[in-house]
C-alpha cells in the first residue's frame, strides 16, 4: 500500500521555529515541506477557484512522488450544493489537470445542513472525469447508509473518514480501492495513532491519504511524523 501522510495546509508562519526553520522565507515553505512529507491537503482552493499558473508553480516545488489533494471550491459544494455544477466541475478539473501525476485526489466536503439526496449524488459523480479520484466528506447523518456507500463503491469514490471533536462520527467504511482520512482532533496520544495506523493497514487499500489538522503550535506535522513512524514500524 502506498501511504500519503501530511497536513491540511502548509503555509503557516506560526510553524516557524518549530517545524520550519525560523528564518525560512515564506516562499520556500512548500519546497521545505515537500522534503518532509509526501502529500498536502490544499484548503484555499475551497475559497476560490485555483489558477493553473499557481498550481503549475506548486507542482515544480515538490518531488515527482509528492501528491496534492485539492479541496473543491465552495461554489460547487456549498453555494450550488452539487446541483447544476457541470460547467464548474469541468472547469475545475481542467485547471487541476495542470498538476499531472502530482494531483492525488479532490476532496468534496458537504455542508452539515446538506441532507441525503441519492439521485443528486449519482448525477454529480457522473461529472467526475474518468481516472480522477474524489473523496466525499458528509457532515449530515442521513448520508451514512448502505445505499450511499454502495454508490460510492460503484464509482471508486472514497468515503472521507473524518475524526474531529464535536462533529459527526464517520464509520470506517472502505467504499473505494483507496482511502482518505482527516484526523482533526487537537491531540493524538501514541496509542490512538497506533490504532489509526492499524485501521489503515487493515482496509486492503492500494493507497491511502492521511491528513492531520494544522495547529498554531505545529502539532499537525508532529502527529504526521509520529504516524509515519508507527506505520513504518508495522
Amino acid at each position: 500500500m502506498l501511504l500519503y501522510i501530511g497536513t491540511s495546509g502548509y503555509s503557516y508562519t506560526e510553524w516557524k521555529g518549530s517545524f520550519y526553520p525560523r528564518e525560512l522565507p515564506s516562499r520556500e515553505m512548500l519546497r521545505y515541506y515537500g522534503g518532509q512529507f509526501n502529500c498536502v491537503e490544499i484548503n484555499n482552493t475551497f475559497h476560490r477557484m485555483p489558477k493553473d499558473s499557481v498550481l503549475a508553480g506548486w507542482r515544480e516545488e515538490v518531488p515527482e512522488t509528492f501528491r496534492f489533494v485539492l479541496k473543491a471550491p465552495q461554489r460547487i459544494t456549498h453555494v450550488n450544493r452539487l446541483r447544476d455544477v457541470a460547467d464548474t466541475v469541468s472547469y475545475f478539473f481542467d485547471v487541476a489537470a495542470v498538476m499531472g501525476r502530482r494531483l492525488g485526489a479532490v476532496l468534496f466536503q458537504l455542508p452539515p445542513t446538506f441532507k441525503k439526496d441519492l439521485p443528486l449524488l449519482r448525477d454529480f459523480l457522473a461529472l467526475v472525469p474518468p481516472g480522477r479520484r474524489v473523496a466525499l466528506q458528509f457532515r449530515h447523518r442521513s448520508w451514512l447508509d448502505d445505499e450511499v456507500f454502495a454508490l460510492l463503491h460503484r464509482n471508486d469514490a472514497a468515503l472521507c473518514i473524518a475524526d474531529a471533536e464535536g462533529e459527526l462520527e464517520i464509520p470506517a467504511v472502505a467504499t473505494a480501492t483507496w482511502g482518505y482520512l482527516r484526523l482533526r482532533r487537537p491531540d493524538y496520544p501514541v496509542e490512538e495513532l497506533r490504532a489509526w495506523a492499524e485501521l489503515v493497514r487493515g482496509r486492503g487499500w492500494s493507497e491511502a491519504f492521511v491528513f492531520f489538522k494544522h495547529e498554531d503550535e505545529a502539532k499537525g506535522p508532529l502527529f504526521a511524523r509520529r504516524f509515519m513512524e508507527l506505520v513504518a514500524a508495522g
Side-chain angles (χ1 to χ4, degrees), residues 151-211:
L151 177 59
L152 295 180
H153 179 74
R154 289 195 295 273
N155 290 271
D156 199 35
L159 172 69
C160 173
I161 302 171
D163 179 53
E165 284 188 338
E167 295 192 13
L168 181 65
E169 184 175 346
I170 306 297
V173 177
T175 64
T177 57
W178 58 287
Y180 197 99
L181 281 73
R182 303 183 88 210
L183 304 182
R184 308 182 68 74
R185 294 181 183 274
D187 193 33
Y188 281 98
V190 171
E191 58 271 20
E192 290 187 17
L193 290 178
R194 185 176 291 112
W196 282 108
E198 291 174 357
L199 183 148
V200 170
R201 286 196 298 265
R203 285 298 178 273
W205 288 319
S206 60
E207 296 183 9
F209 297 86
V210 182
F211 296 108

Coordinates of all heavy atoms in Angstrom, one line a residue, residues 151-211:
L151 N -23.2 3.3 -3.7 CA -23.0 4.3 -4.8 C -21.5 4.7 -4.9 O -20.9 4.8 -6.0 CB -23.9 5.5 -4.7 CG -23.8 6.5 -5.8 CD1 -24.1 6.0 -7.2 CD2 -24.8 7.7 -5.4
L152 N -21.0 5.1 -3.8 CA -19.6 5.5 -3.8 C -18.7 4.3 -4.3 O -17.8 4.5 -5.1 CB -19.1 5.8 -2.3 CG -19.8 7.1 -1.7 CD1 -19.3 7.3 -0.3 CD2 -19.6 8.3 -2.6
H153 N -19.0 3.1 -3.8 CA -18.2 1.9 -4.2 C -18.2 1.7 -5.7 O -17.2 1.5 -6.4 CB -18.7 0.7 -3.5 CG -18.0 -0.6 -3.9 ND1 -16.8 -0.9 -3.5 CD2 -18.4 -1.6 -4.7 CE1 -16.4 -2.0 -4.0 NE2 -17.4 -2.5 -4.7
R154 N -19.4 1.9 -6.4 CA -19.5 1.7 -7.8 C -18.7 2.8 -8.6 O -18.3 2.5 -9.7 CB -21.0 1.8 -8.2 CG -21.8 0.7 -7.8 CD -23.1 0.6 -8.5 NE -24.0 1.7 -8.2 CZ -24.9 1.8 -7.2 NH1 -25.0 0.7 -6.4 NH2 -25.6 2.8 -7.0
N155 N -18.4 3.9 -7.9 CA -17.7 5.0 -8.6 C -16.2 5.1 -8.1 O -15.5 6.0 -8.4 CB -18.4 6.3 -8.4 CG -19.6 6.4 -9.2 OD1 -19.6 6.9 -10.3 ND2 -20.8 6.0 -8.6
D156 N -15.8 4.1 -7.3 CA -14.5 4.1 -6.6 C -14.2 5.5 -6.0 O -13.1 6.0 -6.0 CB -13.4 3.8 -7.6 CG -12.1 3.4 -7.0 OD1 -12.2 2.7 -5.9 OD2 -11.0 3.7 -7.5
A157 N -15.2 6.0 -5.4 CA -15.1 7.3 -4.6 C -15.0 7.0 -3.1 O -15.7 6.1 -2.6 CB -16.4 8.1 -4.8
A158 N -14.1 7.6 -2.5 CA -13.8 7.3 -1.1 C -14.7 8.1 -0.1 O -14.9 9.3 -0.3 CB -12.3 7.6 -0.8
L159 N -15.2 7.3 0.9 CA -15.8 8.0 2.0 C -14.7 8.6 2.9 O -13.9 7.9 3.3 CB -16.6 7.0 2.8 CG -17.2 7.5 4.1 CD1 -18.3 8.5 3.9 CD2 -17.7 6.3 5.0
C160 N -14.8 9.9 3.0 CA -13.8 10.6 3.9 C -14.1 10.2 5.3 O -15.1 10.6 5.9 CB -13.8 12.1 3.7 SG -12.8 13.0 4.8
I161 N -13.1 9.6 6.0 CA -13.3 9.2 7.4 C -12.7 10.3 8.2 O -11.4 10.5 8.3 CB -12.6 7.9 7.7 CG1 -13.1 6.7 6.8 CG2 -12.7 7.5 9.1 CD1 -12.4 5.4 6.8
A162 N -13.6 11.2 8.7 CA -13.1 12.4 9.4 C -13.3 12.1 10.9 O -14.3 11.6 11.4 CB -13.9 13.6 9.0
D163 N -12.3 12.6 11.7 CA -12.3 12.4 13.2 C -12.1 13.8 13.8 O -10.9 14.3 13.7 CB -11.2 11.4 13.6 CG -11.1 11.2 15.1 OD1 -12.2 10.9 15.7 OD2 -10.0 11.4 15.6
A164 N -13.1 14.3 14.4 CA -13.0 15.7 15.0 C -13.9 15.8 16.1 O -15.0 15.2 16.2 CB -13.3 16.7 13.9
E165 N -13.5 16.6 17.1 CA -14.3 16.8 18.3 C -15.6 17.5 18.0 O -15.6 18.5 17.3 CB -13.5 17.6 19.3 CG -12.4 16.9 20.0 CD -11.8 17.7 21.2 OE1 -11.9 18.9 21.1 OE2 -11.2 17.1 22.1
G166 N -16.7 17.0 18.6 CA -18.0 17.6 18.4 C -18.6 17.5 17.1 O -19.6 18.2 16.8
E167 N -18.1 16.7 16.2 CA -18.6 16.6 14.8 C -19.1 15.1 14.6 O -18.9 14.2 15.4 CB -17.6 16.9 13.8 CG -17.2 18.4 13.8 CD -16.4 18.9 12.6 OE1 -16.4 18.1 11.6 OE2 -15.8 19.9 12.7
L168 N -19.8 15.0 13.5 CA -20.4 13.7 13.2 C -19.4 12.6 13.2 O -18.3 12.7 12.6 CB -21.1 13.8 11.8 CG -21.8 12.6 11.3 CD1 -23.0 12.2 12.2 CD2 -22.3 12.8 9.8
E169 N -19.7 11.5 13.8 CA -18.8 10.3 13.8 C -19.0 9.5 12.5 O -20.1 9.1 12.2 CB -19.0 9.4 15.0 CG -18.1 8.3 15.1 CD -18.3 7.4 16.4 OE1 -19.0 7.9 17.3 OE2 -17.7 6.3 16.5
I170 N -17.9 9.3 11.8 CA -18.0 8.7 10.5 C -17.5 7.2 10.6 O -16.4 7.0 11.2 CB -17.1 9.4 9.5 CG1 -17.4 10.9 9.4 CG2 -17.2 8.7 8.1 CD1 -18.8 11.2 8.9
P171 N -18.3 6.3 10.2 CA -17.8 4.9 10.3 C -16.6 4.6 9.3 O -16.5 5.2 8.3 CB -19.1 4.1 9.8 CG -19.8 5.0 8.9 CD -19.6 6.4 9.5
A172 N -15.8 3.7 9.7 CA -14.6 3.5 8.9 C -14.9 2.4 7.9 O -14.4 1.3 7.8 CB -13.5 2.9 9.9
V173 N -15.7 2.9 6.9 CA -16.1 2.0 5.8 C -15.3 2.3 4.6 O -15.1 3.4 4.2 CB -17.6 2.3 5.5 CG1 -18.1 1.5 4.3 CG2 -18.5 2.0 6.7
A174 N -14.8 1.2 4.0 CA -13.9 1.3 2.8 C -14.9 1.3 1.6 O -15.4 0.2 1.2 CB -12.9 0.2 2.7
T175 N -15.1 2.4 0.9 CA -16.0 2.4 -0.2 C -15.2 2.4 -1.5 O -15.9 2.4 -2.6 CB -16.9 3.7 -0.2 OG1 -16.1 4.8 -0.3 CG2 -17.7 3.7 1.1
A176 N -13.9 2.4 -1.5 CA -13.1 2.5 -2.7 C -11.9 1.6 -2.5 O -11.6 1.1 -1.5 CB -12.7 4.0 -3.0
T177 N -11.1 1.6 -3.6 CA -9.9 0.8 -3.6 C -8.8 1.6 -2.9 O -7.7 1.1 -2.6 CB -9.4 0.5 -5.0 OG1 -9.2 1.7 -5.7 CG2 -10.4 -0.4 -5.7
W178 N -9.1 2.8 -2.5 CA -8.1 3.7 -1.8 C -8.9 4.4 -0.6 O -10.1 4.4 -0.6 CB -7.6 4.7 -2.8 CG -8.6 5.6 -3.4 CD1 -9.5 5.2 -4.4 CD2 -8.9 7.0 -3.1 NE1 -10.3 6.3 -4.7 CE2 -10.0 7.3 -4.0 CE3 -8.4 7.9 -2.2 CZ2 -10.5 8.6 -3.9 CZ3 -8.9 9.2 -2.2 CH2 -10.0 9.5 -3.0
G179 N -8.1 4.9 0.3 CA -8.7 5.5 1.5 C -8.4 7.0 1.7 O -7.4 7.5 1.2
Y180 N -9.2 7.6 2.5 CA -9.0 9.1 2.8 C -9.4 9.3 4.2 O -10.5 9.1 4.6 CB -9.8 9.9 1.9 CG -9.4 11.4 1.8 CD1 -8.6 11.8 0.7 CD2 -9.8 12.3 2.8 CE1 -8.2 13.1 0.6 CE2 -9.4 13.6 2.7 CZ -8.6 14.0 1.6 OH -8.2 15.3 1.6
L181 N -8.4 9.8 5.0 CA -8.7 10.1 6.5 C -8.3 11.6 6.8 O -7.2 12.0 6.3 CB -7.9 9.2 7.4 CG -8.4 7.8 7.6 CD1 -8.2 6.9 6.4 CD2 -7.7 7.1 8.8
R182 N -9.2 12.2 7.6 CA -8.8 13.6 8.1 C -8.9 13.4 9.6 O -10.0 13.3 10.2 CB -9.8 14.6 7.6 CG -9.9 14.7 6.1 CD -10.9 15.9 5.7 NE -10.2 17.1 5.6 CZ -10.7 18.3 5.9 NH1 -11.9 18.4 6.3 NH2 -10.0 19.4 5.7
L183 N -7.7 13.5 10.2 CA -7.6 13.3 11.7 C -7.4 14.7 12.3 O -6.3 15.2 12.2 CB -6.5 12.3 12.0 CG -6.6 10.9 11.4 CD1 -5.5 10.0 11.8 CD2 -8.0 10.3 11.7
R184 N -8.5 15.2 12.9 CA -8.5 16.6 13.2 C -8.7 17.0 14.7 O -9.1 18.1 15.0 CB -9.6 17.3 12.4 CG -9.4 17.0 10.9 CD -10.4 17.6 10.0 NE -10.3 19.0 9.9 CZ -9.3 19.7 9.2 NH1 -8.4 19.0 8.6 NH2 -9.2 21.0 9.2
R185 N -8.5 16.0 15.6 CA -8.6 16.3 17.0 C -7.3 17.1 17.4 O -6.3 17.0 16.8 CB -8.7 15.1 17.8 CG -10.1 14.3 17.6 CD -10.2 13.1 18.4 NE -11.4 12.4 18.1 CZ -12.6 12.7 18.7 NH1 -12.7 13.6 19.6 NH2 -13.7 12.0 18.3
P186 N -7.4 17.9 18.5 CA -6.3 18.7 19.0 C -5.1 17.9 19.5 O -4.0 18.4 19.7 CB -6.9 19.6 20.0 CG -8.1 18.9 20.5 CD -8.6 18.2 19.3
D187 N -5.4 16.6 19.9 CA -4.4 15.8 20.5 C -4.6 14.3 20.1 O -5.7 13.8 20.0 CB -4.3 15.9 22.0 CG -3.1 15.3 22.6 OD1 -2.0 15.4 21.9 OD2 -3.1 14.8 23.7
Y188 N -3.5 13.7 19.8 CA -3.5 12.2 19.4 C -2.4 11.5 20.2 O -1.2 11.6 19.8 CB -3.3 12.0 17.9 CG -4.6 12.2 17.1 CD1 -4.8 13.5 16.5 CD2 -5.6 11.3 17.1 CE1 -6.0 13.7 15.8 CE2 -6.7 11.5 16.3 CZ -6.9 12.7 15.7 OH -8.1 12.9 15.0
P189 N -2.7 10.9 21.3 CA -1.7 10.1 22.0 C -1.2 9.0 21.1 O -1.9 8.6 20.2 CB -2.5 9.5 23.2 CG -3.6 10.4 23.4 CD -4.0 10.9 22.0
V190 N 0.0 8.4 21.4 CA 0.6 7.4 20.6 C -0.3 6.2 20.4 O -0.4 5.7 19.3 CB 1.9 7.0 21.2 CG1 2.5 5.8 20.4 CG2 2.9 8.1 21.1
E191 N -1.0 5.8 21.5 CA -1.9 4.6 21.3 C -3.0 4.9 20.3 O -3.5 4.0 19.6 CB -2.4 4.2 22.7 CG -3.2 5.2 23.4 CD -2.4 6.1 24.3 OE1 -1.2 6.2 24.1 OE2 -3.0 6.7 25.3
E192 N -3.5 6.1 20.3 CA -4.6 6.4 19.3 C -4.0 6.4 17.9 O -4.7 5.9 17.0 CB -5.2 7.7 19.7 CG -6.1 7.7 20.9 CD -6.9 9.0 21.1 OE1 -7.0 9.8 20.2 OE2 -7.3 9.2 22.3
L193 N -2.9 7.0 17.7 CA -2.2 7.0 16.4 C -2.0 5.5 15.9 O -2.2 5.2 14.8 CB -0.9 7.8 16.4 CG -1.1 9.3 16.6 CD1 0.3 9.9 16.6 CD2 -1.9 9.9 15.4
R194 N -1.6 4.7 16.9 CA -1.3 3.3 16.5 C -2.6 2.6 16.1 O -2.6 1.8 15.1 CB -0.7 2.6 17.7 CG -0.3 1.1 17.4 CD 0.4 0.5 18.6 NE 1.7 1.1 18.8 CZ 2.1 1.8 19.9 NH1 1.2 2.0 20.8 NH2 3.3 2.3 20.0
A195 N -3.7 2.9 16.7 CA -5.0 2.3 16.3 C -5.4 2.8 15.0 O -5.9 2.0 14.2 CB -6.1 2.7 17.4
W196 N -5.2 4.1 14.6 CA -5.5 4.5 13.3 C -4.6 3.9 12.3 O -5.0 3.6 11.1 CB -5.4 6.1 13.2 CG -6.5 6.8 13.8 CD1 -6.6 7.5 15.0 CD2 -7.9 6.9 13.3 NE1 -7.8 8.0 15.2 CE2 -8.6 7.6 14.2 CE3 -8.5 6.4 12.1 CZ2 -10.0 7.9 14.0 CZ3 -9.8 6.7 11.9 CH2 -10.5 7.4 12.8
A197 N -3.3 3.7 12.6 CA -2.4 3.0 11.7 C -2.8 1.6 11.4 O -2.8 1.1 10.2 CB -1.0 3.1 12.2
E198 N -3.3 0.9 12.4 CA -3.8 -0.4 12.2 C -5.0 -0.5 11.4 O -5.2 -1.4 10.5 CB -4.0 -1.1 13.6 CG -2.8 -1.4 14.4 CD -3.0 -1.9 15.8 OE1 -4.2 -2.0 16.1 OE2 -2.1 -2.2 16.5
L199 N -5.9 0.5 11.6 CA -7.1 0.6 10.7 C -6.7 0.8 9.3 O -7.3 0.1 8.4 CB -8.0 1.8 11.2 CG -9.3 2.0 10.5 CD1 -10.3 2.6 11.5 CD2 -9.2 2.9 9.3
V200 N -5.8 1.7 9.0 CA -5.4 1.9 7.6 C -4.8 0.7 7.0 O -5.1 0.3 5.8 CB -4.4 3.1 7.5 CG1 -3.8 3.2 6.2 CG2 -5.1 4.4 7.9
R201 N -3.9 0.0 7.7 CA -3.3 -1.2 7.2 C -4.3 -2.3 7.0 O -4.1 -3.2 6.1 CB -2.2 -1.7 8.1 CG -1.0 -0.8 8.1 CD 0.2 -1.6 8.8 NE -0.1 -1.9 10.2 CZ 0.3 -1.1 11.2 NH1 1.0 0.0 10.9 NH2 0.1 -1.4 12.5
G202 N -5.4 -2.3 7.7 CA -6.3 -3.5 7.6 C -7.5 -3.3 6.6 O -8.3 -4.2 6.5
R203 N -7.5 -2.2 5.9 CA -8.6 -2.0 5.0 C -8.4 -2.5 3.6 O -9.3 -2.5 2.7 CB -9.0 -0.5 4.9 CG -9.7 0.1 6.1 CD -11.0 -0.6 6.3 NE -11.8 -0.2 7.5 CZ -11.6 -0.7 8.7 NH1 -10.7 -1.7 8.9 NH2 -12.4 -0.3 9.7
G204 N -7.2 -3.0 3.3 CA -6.9 -3.5 1.9 C -6.8 -2.5 0.8 O -7.0 -2.8 -0.4
W205 N -6.6 -1.3 1.2 CA -6.5 -0.2 0.2 C -5.1 -0.3 -0.6 O -4.1 -0.7 0.0 CB -6.5 1.2 0.9 CG -7.9 1.6 1.4 CD1 -9.1 1.4 0.8 CD2 -8.2 2.2 2.6 NE1 -10.1 1.9 1.6 CE2 -9.6 2.4 2.7 CE3 -7.4 2.7 3.7 CZ2 -10.2 3.0 3.8 CZ3 -8.0 3.3 4.8 CH2 -9.4 3.4 4.8
S206 N -5.2 0.1 -1.8 CA -3.9 0.2 -2.6 C -3.2 1.5 -2.2 O -1.9 1.5 -2.3 CB -4.3 0.2 -4.1 OG -5.1 1.4 -4.5
E207 N -3.9 2.6 -1.9 CA -3.3 3.8 -1.5 C -4.2 4.4 -0.4 O -5.4 4.1 -0.4 CB -3.2 4.8 -2.6 CG -2.2 4.4 -3.7 CD -2.1 5.4 -4.8 OE1 -2.6 6.6 -4.6 OE2 -1.5 5.1 -5.8
A208 N -3.6 5.2 0.5 CA -4.4 5.9 1.4 C -3.8 7.3 1.7 O -2.6 7.5 1.7 CB -4.5 5.2 2.7
F209 N -4.7 8.3 1.9 CA -4.2 9.7 2.2 C -4.7 9.9 3.7 O -5.8 9.7 4.0 CB -4.9 10.7 1.3 CG -4.5 10.5 -0.1 CD1 -5.2 9.7 -1.0 CD2 -3.5 11.3 -0.7 CE1 -4.8 9.5 -2.3 CE2 -3.1 11.1 -2.0 CZ -3.8 10.3 -2.8
V210 N -3.7 10.4 4.5 CA -4.0 10.7 5.9 C -3.5 12.1 6.2 O -2.3 12.4 6.0 CB -3.3 9.7 6.8 CG1 -3.7 10.0 8.3 CG2 -3.7 8.3 6.5
F211 N -4.4 13.0 6.6 CA -4.1 14.4 6.9 C -4.4 14.7 8.3 O -5.5 14.4 8.9 CB -4.8 15.3 6.0 CG -4.4 15.1 4.5 CD1 -5.3 14.5 3.6 CD2 -3.2 15.5 4.1 CE1 -5.0 14.3 2.3 CE2 -2.8 15.4 2.7 CZ -3.7 14.8 1.9

